[in-house]
Amino acid sequence: MYAVELMNLTRKFGGFTAVNDVTLKIKAGSIYGFLGPNGSGKSTTIRMLCGLLEPTSGRGSVLGFDIAKDSEMIKQKIGYMSQKFSLYDDLTVIENLQFYGGMYSLSGSLGKVRIEEMLNLAGLKGRQDELVANLSGGWKQRLALGCSILHKPSILFLDEPTGGVDPKSRRMFWDIIYDLALQGTTVMVTTHFMDEAEHCDEIGFIFEGNLIASSSPAYLKQTIPGTLIRIPTDDPMGLLETLEGSALPYLDIYCSGTSLHLLMETEKLAHITEFHYEKITPALEDVFVYLVKSHRKE
């Protein structure tokens, strides 16, 4: 069963195509990571799925509801957390939760129970009377998540939820996401952190509005041809220029931190005997670089 199904989904703003002909399916109860650089179309896609933006063409459904015709029904069934957290700084923690509880028509004893659960989930028990403006980014992040899942949505959309927070808060946030998925919640999260995508059941790479790949992290790593090697160097840019100007038969070459990554056909590794190198398993960042370059050639 699929929680999200998109077919040739497109969104244009005047002459600019923000999302181009995207087709994908997201399994119910899974974590789907939507990766790409800023401006690639991630947020625009999320906003269409949440019923906040009408598609220019194509079609899609969320929990069986048509994103163009049933946007109001979709808004009632989903949880949505934007990168700006959507919190009210001049209200306290408990007042923010009460406000969102009212929006979701959670009243009486049920509302109180859910608010108490969210305080515990966010680790804010005892700080409920503190102004949100005084909270750090990590605490605001967890409170915003609590507000977005007060009504126990079947699917949760998280748009760049970990931007601007420290690594410890990011890890704690992902622990909560795993727990939600184990309980059956479908999660779609946009991010440009490749390490976060490693923990998703499936990921989609979007670049310049185009979905250039969508599968499990393990499968995508197998799509890179040849052998990937790493050459440590004190001057990666200098070595890059040298090798680009040589006759070395590589498939791809690029800098990665304090080293150079080369993708080569395995039988041609003998051509680089002058360098000390190690064979490495492709990371998702390597996959993304390869896919983007392949897409540009096309």
Side-chain angles (χ1 to χ4, degrees):
M1 179 182 174
Y2 295 102
V4 173
E5 294 186 71
L6 304 181
M7 182 65 70
N8 307 119
L9 193 69
T10 299
R11 173 67 199 199
K12 297 183 178 181
F13 295 96
F16 174 69
T17 302
V19 176
N20 184 41
D21 207 31
V22 169
T23 296
L24 69 83
K25 293 181 179 181
I26 300 175
K27 295 174 184 174
S30 67
I31 301 175
Y32 188 90
F34 208 38
L35 278 82
N38 292 334
S40 58
K42 302 189 302 294
S43 295
T44 301
T45 303
I46 289 283
R47 291 174 65 197
M48 285 191 282
L49 296 182
C50 292
L52 302 173
L53 194 63
E54 285 189 16
T56 304
S57 62
R59 55 189 173 84
S61 66
V62 173
L63 303 175
F65 296 103
D66 188 288
I67 62 174
K69 301 174 183 176
D70 306 318
S71 61
E72 290 306 313
M73 285 297 297
I74 288 173
K75 290 173 188 175
Q76 296 173 28
K77 301 287 184 180
I78 66 171
Y80 171 65
M81 176 180 162
S82 74
Q83 52 194 314
K84 294 182 176 63
F85 295 165
S86 305
L87 295 172
Y88 295 91
D89 281 349
D90 55 344
L91 297 180
T92 64
V93 169
I94 192 77
E95 286 170 342
N96 268 275
L97 287 164
Q98 289 169 341
F99 172 78
Y100 279 96
M103 284 183 63
Y104 297 130
S105 301
L106 292 173
S107 57
S109 58
L110 176 60
K112 290 179 180 178
V113 168
R114 288 298 292 159
I115 287 174
E116 191 72 14
E117 289 174 354
M118 293 305 101
L119 286 171
N120 290 323
L121 176 83
L124 286 164
K125 189 72 175 170
R127 301 182 66 179
Q128 56 260 49
D129 296 321
E130 195 169 328
L131 279 177
V132 166
N134 298 331
L135 297 178
S136 69
W139 290 110
K140 284 183 179 180
Q141 174 201 51
R142 281 183 276 166
L143 174 60
L145 178 63
C147 289
S148 67
I149 60 173
L150 260 175
H151 57 309
K152 291 189 175 181
S154 299
I155 185 168
L156 178 62
F157 294 102
L158 304 172
D159 190 10
E160 298 278 4
T162 56
V165 299
D166 62 89
K168 182 180 178 182
S169 293
R170 280 174 57 198
R171 286 193 298 271
M172 294 178 72
F173 188 83
W174 272 90
D175 286 341
I176 297 173
I177 292 176
Y178 300 145
D179 288 341
L180 289 171
L182 286 173
Q183 295 167 28
T185 304
T186 306
V187 181
M188 184 177 186
V189 54
T190 72
T191 181
H192 53 262
F193 293 115
M194 296 292 170
D195 60 321
E196 292 185 348
E198 295 277 2
H199 307 298
C200 297
D201 298 304
E202 291 195 355
I203 55 176
F205 284 124
I206 188 167
F207 180 70
E208 295 180 346
N210 297 281
L211 187 66
I212 57 177
S214 180
S215 192
S216 68
Y219 178 80
L220 288 173
K221 290 175 186 178
Q222 296 172 14
T223 61
I224 294 184
T227 299
L228 185 66
I229 65 171
R230 174 182 173 271
I231 303 176
T233 172
D234 294 330
D235 183 16
M237 287 302 297
L239 183 57
L240 175 67
E241 290 179 11
T242 299
L243 294 182
E244 282 182 331
S246 72
L248 191 67
Y250 57 79
L251 297 171
D252 199 2
I253 184 170
Y254 50 92
C255 296
S256 180
T258 58
S259 63
L260 203 65
H261 283 195
L262 267 80
L263 185 62
M264 298 189 67
E265 294 176 10
T266 306
E267 62 272 17
K268 293 183 179 179
L269 288 175
H271 289 272
I272 53 169
T273 51
E274 63 182 288
F275 297 106
H276 294 289
Y277 67 85
E278 61 175 328
K279 296 179 183 179
I280 59 174
T281 301
L284 284 177
E285 190 167 351
D286 298 301
V287 176
F288 185 64
V289 169
Y290 175 76
L291 290 171
V292 165
K293 289 188 175 181
S294 299
H295 176 72
R296 281 178 169 160
K297 287 176 184 175
E298 291 174 11

